[in-house]
């Protein structure tokens, strides 16, 4: 109406017309007449007044007045026109809506006028028109215009046809392919449904006598499956595959759908419906795991791969090649259904799948570790075996814990496909490692280690304060040392924490060990870590340090006063705000922070099932504690250690795991699962006996029994979480030294960065619609070099012209062959300019930051499959 007002004003004012005839045969503007605002112009409807009366008014009653003469009809024939003479000397005006729309939309093709007229219902809605105006281009043709009309109707984010189609599928009610999206009827009302199917035919080559969305989706997904599968699909599916160019577009379209954070959930639901409709389960038996390795189309394929990869691990236990298992598992985790960064839903149990693949990789590592040790642990002396444990054998415990963590995570989502593998892992760990380690360690205990409880080059736990704390304090009166003691924090967990700490800027962590006290229980271990001159036992079996009790936090704090120290619980310490924490530590040079997560959970029959969860939480909490001390309290010198370690297995101990002693010997003061304390204890061939004077420097005539190997005493029960004995897992006590690096030159060495990635080759040229690129990381991943997950695709400017693929580069190997990964990209089925330069772009999947780009030319021999 603004355009009409402007045009009429020009007629009356600029051109000086007194009378203007406006014929509107389609009555398009009849309802809008009342909104016209023409100064000093009278609106006169010719259908409301007799022609002779109008003639008299215009020529006799008001011969100078300005009039707009509106008629909702074509002008009459000349011989019947009473106003012909007036019409001939006056001006005429036409407001053809199609012509006006053509101008308003900025379209240049006049031939579109009848097309616009046919879409009059669409343009009657001003909101739709305004949305369309943002999408059209001047040179759009009829089908282009209809595509953009459809984009408005289906509320697509962009007018590209793939986005339109995804929006339609996403709107299917309740994921039921027999129902139609609400916008589907609107396409019919606006006369663009035929254009929709024309667009489908152009993009995918899909044409049927009565096409429908369900059949289209089935063909898209089967074509995507066929494209990714490394073998021909079974005959029962082949007739559903689109032509080559249509398949290429199907691959890119479905990849975009899966990549959409907002619309991806509907893909999860509908792909399951399609899998059931095509009876996919009955067809997968003919395809191998390697055939399916690149398929992302269906969750059922993912479940099949996970199950078959588990079977491969089980079938090759003694000849396992962990790198091949890792390659397949990590590729699947980079895919769609097991990607940890995407939402976890009932239709896409990604958390469970990711955990399954993690567990499979860890199990493969564990089996390979066992295979490398098939000759046994024949180390010549205790020092050699102790060193071997801290160098490599601890990985048995670490891998076993990590496997159980991920297997538990999968089972918590009602996925039990790892059940058979758990049994094998349990056997390899329990019989193949723990029992063999116990046998070899017992040999060294019996050959004199227990009688002297010293190993050359390995410090004893009771010397911790003098060796680790006092040495730092002696360097200056301004030195302050933080000591974090985590109950039952064993060596393998400390190794994992050390790696994490070394991955942080300005932190330098080193891991060493000390020989823990015997028996390896909390009271004695905690006493050994305090500053002391003497440790002794009271008559009743209580422990004293320098003649004072040390069992409670308050008692330990009292003992620390002698070295200007304080004791605090970790949770209370963590809850302090920055200023509060600084005020708390200000008077002290030594701060002992006591953390009790693992032992508190593991040492209770009600919660010991969660022992490994407690280890994971402990690692995270200790990392947070270090961060607080360094960042909020300006701590420069930190020590993390433990009172003892522990033994734990998922399988409850059987009779063979229990010592056959069923009664406590005379003189017993304290009896637990892995030790007993007393005086004048008798010798026994079922247990080791010795004195705490020898094994802890503790006076008071206290003796102990510990069961041989990993056994438990009958009279205490058969719990799975135990400590107190002399197994390496219990007495290899970690010491992590953490320094806050302030020197700028040294700090630069602690900087972390993500691993670099490059593409092998140069002068990249794509000559087929599917191209394979070889990528390689530029160095091994380590503490300071972090893995990176990339999204990779070919782009024309800002628009991808292929599917986007995800790859993670995380190899810690020094073998460059392990650094390489391949990615297959499929081009959209359209023409490409062989003289144009396209880009292969690598972006960080988490941040979207571009890591690298490479120029690519595309030179295809174009064929029309449709």
């Amino acid at each position: 109406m603004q355009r009409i007002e402007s045009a009429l004003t020009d007629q009356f004012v600029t051109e000086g017309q007194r009378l203007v005839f406006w014929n509107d045969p389609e009555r398009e503007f009849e309802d809008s007449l009342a909104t016209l605002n023409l100064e000093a112009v009278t609106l006169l409807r010719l259908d409301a007044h007799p022609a002779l009366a109008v003639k008299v008014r215009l020529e006799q009653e008001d011969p100078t007045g300005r009039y707009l003469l509106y008629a909702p009809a074509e002008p009459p024939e000349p011989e019947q026109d009473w106003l012909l003479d007036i019409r001939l000397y006056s001006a005429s005006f036409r407001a053809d809506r199609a012509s006006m729309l053509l101008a308003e939309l900025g379209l240049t093709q006049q031939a579109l006028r009848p097309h616009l007229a046919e879409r009059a219902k669409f343009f009657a809605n001003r909101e739709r028109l305004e949305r369309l105006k943002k999408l059209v281009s001047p040179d759009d043709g009829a089908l282009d215009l209809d595509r953009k009309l459809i984009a408005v109707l289906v509320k697509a984010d962009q007018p590209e046809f793939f986005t339109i189609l995804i929006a339609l599928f996403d709107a299917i009610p309740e994921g039921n392919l027999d129902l139609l999206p609400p916008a589907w009827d609107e396409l019919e009302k606006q006369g663009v449904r035929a254009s929709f199917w024309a667009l489908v035919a152009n993009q995918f080559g899909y044409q049927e006598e009565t096409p429908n969305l369900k059949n289209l989706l089935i063909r898209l997904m089967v074509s995507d499956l066929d494209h990714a599968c490394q073998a021909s699909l079974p005959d029962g599916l082949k007739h559903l595959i689109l032509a080559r160019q249509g398949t290429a577009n199907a691959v890119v379209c479905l990849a975009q759908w899966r990549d959409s954070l907002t619309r991806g959930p509907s893909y999860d639901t509908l792909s399951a419906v399609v899998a059931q409709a095509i009876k996919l389960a009955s067809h997968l038996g003919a395809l191998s795991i390697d055939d399916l390795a690149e398929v992302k189309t269906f969750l059922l394929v993912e479940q099949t791969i996970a199950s078959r990869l588990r079977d491969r691990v089980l079938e090759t236990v003694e000849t396992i090649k962990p790198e091949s298992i890792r390659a397949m598992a990590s590729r699947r985790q980079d895919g769609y259904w097991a990607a940890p960064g995407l939402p976890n839903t009932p239709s896409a149990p990604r958390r469970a799948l990711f955990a399954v693949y993690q567990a499979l990789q860890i199990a493969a590592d564990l089996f390979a570790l066992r295979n490398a040790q098939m000759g046994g642990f024949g180390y010549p002396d205790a020092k050699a075996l102790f060193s071997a444990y801290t160098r490599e054998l601890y990985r048995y415990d670490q891998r076993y814990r990590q496997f159980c963590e991920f297997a538990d995570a999968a089972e918590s989502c009602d996925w039990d496909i790892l059940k058979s593998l758990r049994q094998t892992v349990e056997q390899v760990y329990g019989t193949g490692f723990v029992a063999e380690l116990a046998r070899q360690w017992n040999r060294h205990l019996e050959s004199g280690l227990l009688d002297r409880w010293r190993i050359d080059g390995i410090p004893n736990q009771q010397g911790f304060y003098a060796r680790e704390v006092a040495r730092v304090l002696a360097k200056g009166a301004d030195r302050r040392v933080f000591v974090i003691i985590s109950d039952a924090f064993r060596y393998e967990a400390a190794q994992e924490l050390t790696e994490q700490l070394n991955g942080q800027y300005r932190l330098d962590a080193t891991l060493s060990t000390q020989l823990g006290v015997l028996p390896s229980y909390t009271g004695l271990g905690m006493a050994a870590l305090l500053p002391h001159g003497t440790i002794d036992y009271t008559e009743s079996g209580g422990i004293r340090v320098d003649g004072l009790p040390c069992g409670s936090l308050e008692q330990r704090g009292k003992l620390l006063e002698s070295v200007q120290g304080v004791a605090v619980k970790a949770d209370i310490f963590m809850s302090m705000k920055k200023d509060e924490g600084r005020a708390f530590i200000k008077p002290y040079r030594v701060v002992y922070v006591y953390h009790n997560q693992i032992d508190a959970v593991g040492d209770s029959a009600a919660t010991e099932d969660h022992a490994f969860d407690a280890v994971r939480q402990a690692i995270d909490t200790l990392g947070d504690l270090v961060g607080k001390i360094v960042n909020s309290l300006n701590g420069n010198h930190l020590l993390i250690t433990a009172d003892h370690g522990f033994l734990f297995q998922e399988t409850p101990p059987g009779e063979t795991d229990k010592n056959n002693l069923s009664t406590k010997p005379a003189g017993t003061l304290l009896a637990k699962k892995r030790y007993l304390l007393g005086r004048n204890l008798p010798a026994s061939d079922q247990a080791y006996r010795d004195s705490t004077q020898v094994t802890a420097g503790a006076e008071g005539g206290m003796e102990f029994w510990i069961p041989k190997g990993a056994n438990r005493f009958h009279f205490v029960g058969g719990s799975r979480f135990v400590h107190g004995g002399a197994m390496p897992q219990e007495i290899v006590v970690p010491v992590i030294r953490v320094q806050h690096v302030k020197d700028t030159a040294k700090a630069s060495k602690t900087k972390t960065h993500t691993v670099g990635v490059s593409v092998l080759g140069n002068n990249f040229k794509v000559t087929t619609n599917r191209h394979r690129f070889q990528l390689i990381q530029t160095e091994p991943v380590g503490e300071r070099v972090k893995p990176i997950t990339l999204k990779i695709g070919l782009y024309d400017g800002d628009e991808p012209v292929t599917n986007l693929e995800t790859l993670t580069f995380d190899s810690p190997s020094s073998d460059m062959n392990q650094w390489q990964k391949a990615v297959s990209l499929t081009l959209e089925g359209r023409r490409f300019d062989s003289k144009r330069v396209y880009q292969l772009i690598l972006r960080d999947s988490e941040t979207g930051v571009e890591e690298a780009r490479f120029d690519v030319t595309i030179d295809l021999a174009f064929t029309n499959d449709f």
Side-chain angles (χ1 to χ4, degrees):
M1 294 308 295
Q2 289 176 347
R3 288 179 179 274
I4 290 173
E5 281 186 10
S6 177
L8 288 171
T9 299
D10 284 344
Q11 294 266 35
F12 286 110
V13 177
T14 306
E15 298 181 17
Q17 298 289 343
R18 185 176 81 85
L19 305 175
V20 176
F21 285 83
W22 180 8
N23 289 88
D24 180 19
E26 301 295 332
R27 308 178 82 106
E28 290 184 81
F29 300 97
E30 184 177 20
D31 295 337
S32 302
L33 291 175
T35 66
L36 275 175
N37 183 21
L38 299 172
E39 188 175 352
V41 175
T42 302
L43 173 66
L44 196 63
R45 290 190 59 137
L46 298 182
D47 61 331
H49 301 278
L52 182 58
V54 171
K55 188 176 181 68
V56 170
R57 180 172 178 178
L58 296 179
E59 293 190 331
Q60 294 185 3
E61 295 177 356
D62 188 12
T64 61
R66 293 190 297 180
Y67 286 86
L68 175 63
L69 306 168
Y70 174 84
E74 292 287 357
E77 293 298 323
E79 61 271 16
Q80 298 176 354
D81 189 357
W82 283 64
L83 303 176
L84 179 60
D85 56 339
I86 299 175
R87 192 183 302 276
L88 290 174
Y89 69 74
S90 302
S92 65
F93 175 76
R94 292 295 291 255
D96 179 337
R97 189 162 181 79
S99 298
M100 294 182 65
L101 281 170
L102 202 68
E104 186 171 358
L105 292 171
L107 295 167
T108 59
Q109 297 188 38
Q110 292 297 316
L112 286 174
R113 290 174 65 255
H115 191 79
L116 291 171
E118 291 173 3
R119 308 287 183 262
K121 288 183 180 178
F122 177 91
F123 295 112
N125 183 296
R126 189 71 199 178
E127 181 184 350
R128 289 197 297 247
L129 176 59
E130 290 300 320
R131 289 177 60 196
L132 181 66
K133 283 168 66 175
K134 298 174 182 177
L135 304 179
V136 294
S137 299
D139 56 351
D140 279 345
L143 198 56
D144 294 320
L145 189 62
D146 279 358
R147 170 169 53 82
K148 293 172 182 180
L149 263 77
I150 295 169
V152 171
L153 294 171
V154 304
K155 295 181 171 60
D157 302 324
Q158 299 293 332
E160 285 71 28
F161 187 67
F162 293 168
T163 307
I164 292 169
L165 187 59
I166 292 167
L168 265 175
F169 285 136
D170 182 67
I172 291 176
E174 303 169 9
N176 185 342
L177 278 175
D178 292 322
L179 301 177
L180 292 168
W184 189 246
D185 286 340
E186 198 63 30
L187 266 60
E188 181 66 26
K189 289 178 184 176
Q190 303 304 330
V192 292
R193 196 182 288 179
S195 295
F196 171 82
W197 288 118
L199 289 162
V200 168
N202 286 347
Q203 293 288 334
F204 305 111
Y206 168 74
Q207 291 175 301
E208 288 186 352
E209 198 169 313
T210 54
N212 62 75
L213 290 176
K214 179 178 181 178
N215 287 351
L216 171 61
L217 183 60
I218 287 173
R219 281 153 180 76
L220 292 176
M221 290 192 169
V222 172
S223 299
D224 187 61
L225 171 66
D226 176 66
H227 184 79
C229 189
Q230 301 302 304
S232 295
L233 292 189
D235 291 342
L237 295 176
K238 285 183 178 178
H239 67 289
L240 298 172
I241 301 171
L242 298 168
R244 182 173 63 85
Q245 195 169 345
T247 291
N249 281 341
V251 169
V252 177
C253 178
L254 296 187
Q256 288 183 11
W257 190 0
R258 290 191 292 261
D259 197 50
S260 170
L261 291 178
T262 56
R263 303 194 191 275
S266 61
Y267 180 91
D268 303 343
T269 303
L270 292 175
S271 62
V273 175
V274 171
Q276 186 174 13
I278 64 175
K279 299 179 174 57
L280 182 61
S282 65
H283 298 295
L284 291 179
L287 299 169
S288 72
I289 183 175
D290 297 309
D291 293 335
L292 299 170
E294 298 298 322
V295 174
K296 300 183 183 71
T297 321
F298 299 106
L299 173 63
L300 183 59
V301 171
E302 197 70 58
Q303 293 169 320
T304 300
I305 291 173
S307 297
R308 292 182 184 175
L309 191 59
R310 174 210 57 201
D311 294 343
R312 181 175 289 183
V313 171
L314 283 170
E315 291 163 4
T316 60
V317 169
E318 295 183 359
T319 58
I320 195 82
K321 293 181 179 178
E323 60 276 5
S324 67
I325 302 300
R326 190 176 300 110
M328 176 67 75
S330 62
R331 187 72 191 96
R332 300 313 302 177
Q333 289 172 323
D334 281 340
Y336 180 68
W337 298 102
L342 294 176
N344 187 73
T345 67
S347 300
R350 293 185 175 88
R351 248 195 330 261
L353 277 162
F354 181 84
V356 166
Y357 287 125
Q358 286 291 98
L360 292 175
Q361 294 178 72
I362 293 166
D365 286 342
L366 180 64
F367 297 157
L369 190 63
R370 193 283 304 267
N371 294 342
Q373 300 281 344
M374 286 299 284
F377 308 137
Y379 298 96
D381 53 41
K383 181 178 181 179
L385 184 49
F386 190 99
S387 298
Y389 182 82
T390 61
R391 185 177 62 252
E392 59 182 357
L393 298 183
Y394 75 87
R395 291 193 292 139
Y396 279 97
D397 298 313
Q398 193 177 72
R399 294 294 186 269
Y400 176 70
R401 170 177 60 83
Q402 292 167 344
F403 173 84
C404 292
E405 276 187 80
F406 287 111
D408 288 345
E411 288 185 11
S412 70
C413 301
D414 296 325
W415 275 56
D416 62 353
I417 72 168
L418 295 173
K419 187 175 181 180
S420 55
L421 182 59
R422 289 189 89 136
Q423 296 172 357
T424 305
V425 166
E426 197 71 26
Q427 182 180 9
V428 167
Y429 177 71
T431 305
F433 173 64
V434 175
E436 178 62 18
L437 180 66
R439 188 176 68 82
Q440 294 292 342
W441 189 243
N442 283 354
R443 185 164 58 86
H444 299 309
L445 290 172
E446 293 166 0
S447 64
L449 173 61
L450 190 61
D451 293 334
R452 63 180 183 275
W453 202 238
R454 290 191 180 279
I455 298 176
D456 291 342
I458 309 298
N460 284 73
Q461 188 177 18
Q462 58 268 31
F464 170 80
Y465 183 86
R467 182 181 65 253
E468 301 290 347
V469 183
R471 177 182 59 82
V472 176
L473 296 177
K475 292 181 179 180
D478 61 338
R479 300 298 174 96
R480 178 184 287 121
V481 180
F482 294 85
V483 179
I484 302 172
I485 302 173
S486 184
D487 203 327
F489 192 62
R490 67 181 181 181
Y491 181 82
E492 57 89 4
Q495 189 276 337
E496 189 172 331
L497 174 60
T498 303
E499 281 193 349
Q500 287 188 16
L501 294 175
N502 278 332
Q504 299 180 36
Y505 181 49
R506 289 190 179 273
L507 287 187
D508 182 29
T510 57
L511 175 63
S512 63
T513 59
Q514 52 190 350
L515 182 61
V517 296
L518 272 185
S520 54
Y521 72 103
T522 299
L524 186 56
M526 291 296 185
L529 295 171
L530 288 166
H532 64 269
T534 61
I535 299 175
D536 70 341
Y537 281 88
T538 64
E539 284 299 315
S540 61
I543 302 176
R544 295 182 302 193
V545 168
D546 295 339
L548 297 174
C550 61
S552 69
L553 181 77
E554 292 74 16
Q555 291 168 345
R556 294 170 195 162
K558 187 71 175 174
L559 286 161
L560 287 166
E561 288 178 3
S562 64
V563 292
Q564 204 176 335
V566 67
V568 61
K569 287 185 177 179
D571 54 349
I572 294 175
F573 190 65
M574 281 296 291
S575 67
M576 294 180 185
K577 294 179 181 178
K578 184 176 181 178
D579 291 342
E580 185 183 0
R582 289 185 174 184
F584 174 78
I585 67 169
K586 187 175 182 180
Y588 306 110
R589 297 187 68 201
V590 179
V591 181
Y592 268 49
V593 182
Y594 287 93
H595 172 258
N596 184 14
Q597 199 152 21
I598 300 170
D599 208 46
V601 172
D603 220 14
S604 168
T607 58
E608 70 171 356
D609 281 352
H610 303 289
F612 286 155
D613 291 335
V615 175
R616 174 60 52 208
Q617 293 167 19
I619 292 171
D620 294 340
T621 302
L622 294 174
D624 292 341
L625 264 171
V626 170
K628 180 182 180 69
I629 291 169
V630 170
N631 299 320
S632 297
L633 307 180
N634 295 325
N636 296 325
H637 302 282
L638 293 80
L639 296 163
I640 304 171
T641 189
D643 49 352
H644 55 75
F646 66 88
L647 286 168
F648 180 83
Q649 282 185 245
E650 293 264 319
T651 303
E655 290 302 312
T656 58
D657 299 311
K658 297 177 182 179
N659 193 294
N660 62 14
L661 291 170
S662 57
T663 58
K664 303 169 189 176
T668 300
L669 294 175
L670 180 66
K672 294 291 184 180
K673 288 169 280 195
R674 282 279 287 167
Y675 69 97
L676 61 82
L677 290 168
R679 290 189 173 88
N680 301 314
L681 297 176
S684 170
D685 59 359
Q686 302 300 317
Y688 293 127
R689 182 191 67 171
D690 216 301
S691 164
T692 58
Q693 175 69 53
V694 173
T695 59
E699 301 172 0
M702 189 64 69
E703 295 178 329
F704 62 84
W705 273 12
I706 56 172
K708 296 182 177 182
N711 289 355
R712 285 82 161 154
F713 286 129
H714 255 241
F715 47 78
V716 185
S719 296
R720 292 170 288 160
F721 181 94
V722 294
H723 60 83
M727 283 287 284
Q729 292 93 333
E730 299 167 285
I731 54 84
V732 176
V733 176
V735 177
I736 305 175
R737 300 177 187 87
V738 186
Q739 276 198 310
H740 182 205
V741 182
K742 292 187 174 181
D743 180 83
T744 304
K746 292 181 179 178
S748 64
K749 297 179 181 179
T750 68
K751 287 183 177 179
T752 62
H753 63 275
T754 53
V755 68
V757 177
S758 188
V759 181
L760 293 174
N762 50 47
N763 297 325
F764 303 109
K765 187 175 185 179
V766 174
T767 57
T768 60
N769 75 326
R770 188 178 189 183
H771 190 84
R772 191 175 180 87
F773 292 92
Q774 289 286 340
L775 293 87
I776 186 169
Q777 65 187 60
T778 56
E779 58 187 319
V781 166
E783 290 176 340
R784 307 284 182 193
V785 182
K786 302 299 184 182
I788 190 169
T789 300
L790 298 173
K791 278 201 172 181
I792 304 162
L794 271 176
Y795 286 78
D796 181 2
D798 294 330
E799 294 298 322
V801 295
T802 65
N803 53 315
L804 299 180
E805 290 292 326
T806 303
L807 283 183
T808 297
F809 293 87
D810 58 358
S811 174
S813 173
S814 58
D815 180 1
M816 292 180 64
N817 292 322
Q818 301 296 320
W819 299 358
Q820 295 186 39
K821 290 193 175 185
V823 62
S824 291
L825 299 178
T826 300
L827 291 166
E828 289 181 8
R830 64 176 177 87
R831 290 184 181 274
F832 290 93
D833 185 347
S834 61
K835 296 181 181 179
R836 186 177 178 84
V837 177
Y838 301 86
Q839 282 78 39
L840 175 67
I841 299 180
L842 284 54
R843 290 194 175 118
D844 187 314
S845 66
E846 182 179 355
T847 64
V849 172
E850 184 176 306
E851 296 292 327
R853 70 165 56 204
F854 304 87
D855 290 344
V856 177
T857 57
I858 302 175
D859 190 3
L860 303 180
F862 181 78
T863 57
N864 188 349
D865 284 341
F866 306 148

